[in-house]
Amino acid sequence: ITLKTPMPYYEIMDNLISDHRTDEARRYLDEYKTLPVHKPFLVPVYEAYIAMADFDIQKADQIMQNALNEFSGNSGFLFECGQYYARKCEYQKAIEFYEASWVADEDKKPRYTDALDGIATIYKIVGESAKAIEVYDRMIACIKEEWGYKEEDAAVIEVERKKRKLLK
């Protein structure tokens, strides 16, 4: 059965990759590539994750490096690079890609705050609470200024909660 929407493919591939069932993941990736609504920049990302699941980190890194040549201006790809390097615990590299993703969307406001959230999460992991708080402040500014939310709105309250937790 070939599905016409990409979301189930992401879920299936993610689960197969987590189980190291890479041959099956490759088959679904091949199907995914035929969908008119597929995102071309995700193909090498999934190829890299499949290589990682096959314990071939060098191949995975090479796939990502090659894809960077093609998709270097794509904020979605840059975000996925951040995700990739965060998964590898290469946190400084992940932060650089998250920042690049954020900057690449400068002219596409209002921006989603996922890249900033990734940065804040890394700072929390490495114990740099002050830097995480600064990033949460950037998120709050985006949510208010670009999206028009107010202090009492759930989106602002949630980030404020995360920030307060670090302040304690």
Side-chain angles (χ1 to χ4, degrees), residues 55-115:
F55 305 102
D56 192 343
I57 303 303
Q58 186 175 2
K59 180 179 178 181
D61 286 347
Q62 190 61 55
I63 290 168
M64 292 301 285
Q65 188 58 49
N66 292 344
L68 189 57
N69 295 332
E70 184 176 354
F71 299 108
S72 63
N74 183 303
S75 64
F77 179 75
L78 295 169
F79 176 81
E80 292 299 334
C81 285
Q83 297 285 81
Y84 175 79
Y85 288 107
R87 184 178 284 188
K88 290 181 62 187
C89 301
E90 293 182 27
Y91 295 133
Q92 190 53 48
K93 214 168 186 176
I95 288 171
E96 290 168 13
F97 279 109
Y98 285 138
E99 284 288 358
S101 173
W102 178 254
V103 170
D105 275 345
E106 177 66 31
D107 62 344
K108 299 176 187 165
K109 293 180 181 176
R111 293 175 283 183
Y112 292 105
T113 60
D114 297 29

Side-chain angles (χ1 to χ4, degrees), residues 37-57:
V37 295
H38 87 282
K39 296 179 180 177
F41 73 84
L42 284 178
V43 172
V45 172
Y46 274 104
E47 288 171 344
Y49 284 138
I50 289 169
M52 284 177 75
D54 279 337
F55 305 102
D56 192 343
I57 303 303

